[in-house]
Amino acid sequence: MKEPRGWAINHHKDAINRRLYERLIIVETAIHRVSCLNRTVLRCLGWATPTHLLFRGTRLLFRGTRLLFRGMRLLFRGMRLLFRGTRLLFRGTRLLFRGMRLLFRGTRLLFRGTRLLFRGTRLLFRGTHLLFRGMHLLFRGTHLLFRGMHLLIL
C-alpha cells in the first residue's frame, strides 16, 4: 500500500515531538526531586522557601511549555486537515463544474436529437403524403385506362 504524500515528514515530526515530550518529563522529574530535596534541607535548616517557589515556578513553566508544544502539534494537525479539506472542496467543485458542463452538453445534444426527430417525422409525413398522392394518380390513371379500353370495346 502506498503511503500518503507527506507521510514521512509528519512521521518524523511526530517522532521529534515524542522525544521532546519524553525529555520534558525527565527534566520535570529531576526538578521535582531537587525541589523536594531542597524543601527538606531548607526546612531542616529553618530557612524560608523562596527557592521552593522558584522550582515550583520552573516546573510550571516546563509544564506550560509541554502544553504549548502539544497545542502547536494539534494546531499543525488541524491546519493539515484544513488544507486537506480545502483541497477536497476544490476537487469537488471542479468535478461539480465538469458534471454541469456534461449535463449542459447532454441537454444540448438532447435538444439537437429532438429537433432531428421532429425533422425526420415531418419528412416522413411529407413522404407519406407524396406516396398517397402518387397512389391517387396511379388509381386515376388506371381508371382512365379502363375507361379508354371500355370506349375501344364499344
Side-chain angles (χ1 to χ4, degrees):
M1 185 172 134
K2 187 177 176 185
E3 297 294 338
R5 190 172 24 171
W7 177 83
I9 294 171
N10 291 330
H11 180 70
H12 291 302
K13 284 181 183 176
D14 288 341
I16 290 169
N17 286 336
R18 273 196 305 276
R19 280 190 223 119
L20 286 173
Y21 181 72
E22 289 168 2
R23 287 183 186 155
L24 284 173
I25 288 176
I26 292 169
V27 169
E28 185 178 329
T29 306
I31 289 171
H32 179 69
R33 287 180 182 164
V34 168
S35 68
C36 287
L37 180 64
N38 266 347
R39 190 175 17 184
T40 307
V41 169
L42 288 173
R43 281 193 184 149
C44 289
L45 295 173
W47 291 357
T49 59
T51 310
H52 170 67
L53 294 175
L54 176 68
F55 281 114
R56 178 181 265 175
T58 308
R59 192 173 73 218
L60 290 174
L61 178 68
F62 277 113
R63 185 177 289 165
T65 307
R66 190 177 70 215
L67 290 174
L68 178 68
F69 279 126
R70 185 180 292 167
M72 288 176 60
R73 196 173 65 226
L74 289 174
L75 177 69
F76 284 126
R77 186 177 292 163
M79 287 175 59
R80 194 174 63 222
L81 290 174
L82 177 69
F83 285 128
R84 185 179 293 165
T86 307
R87 196 176 67 223
L88 289 174
L89 177 69
F90 283 129
R91 184 179 292 167
T93 307
R94 195 175 66 221
L95 289 175
L96 176 69
F97 282 126
R98 183 179 292 167
M100 287 175 63
R101 195 175 66 222
L102 290 174
L103 177 69
F104 285 129
R105 184 180 291 168
T107 307
R108 196 175 67 220
L109 289 174
L110 178 68
F111 284 129
R112 184 180 290 168
T114 308
R115 197 175 65 223
L116 290 174
L117 178 69
F118 284 128
R119 185 180 289 167
T121 307
R122 196 175 66 221
L123 289 174
L124 177 68
F125 283 128
R126 185 179 286 168
T128 307
H129 176 72
L130 290 175
L131 176 68
F132 281 124
R133 193 169 186 187
M135 287 175 62
H136 176 72
L137 290 174
L138 178 68
F139 284 125
R140 195 168 183 191
T142 307
H143 176 71
L144 288 175
L145 179 68
F146 281 122
R147 203 167 180 194
M149 286 174 56
H150 180 67
L151 287 175
L152 272 176
I153 293 175
L154 287 175

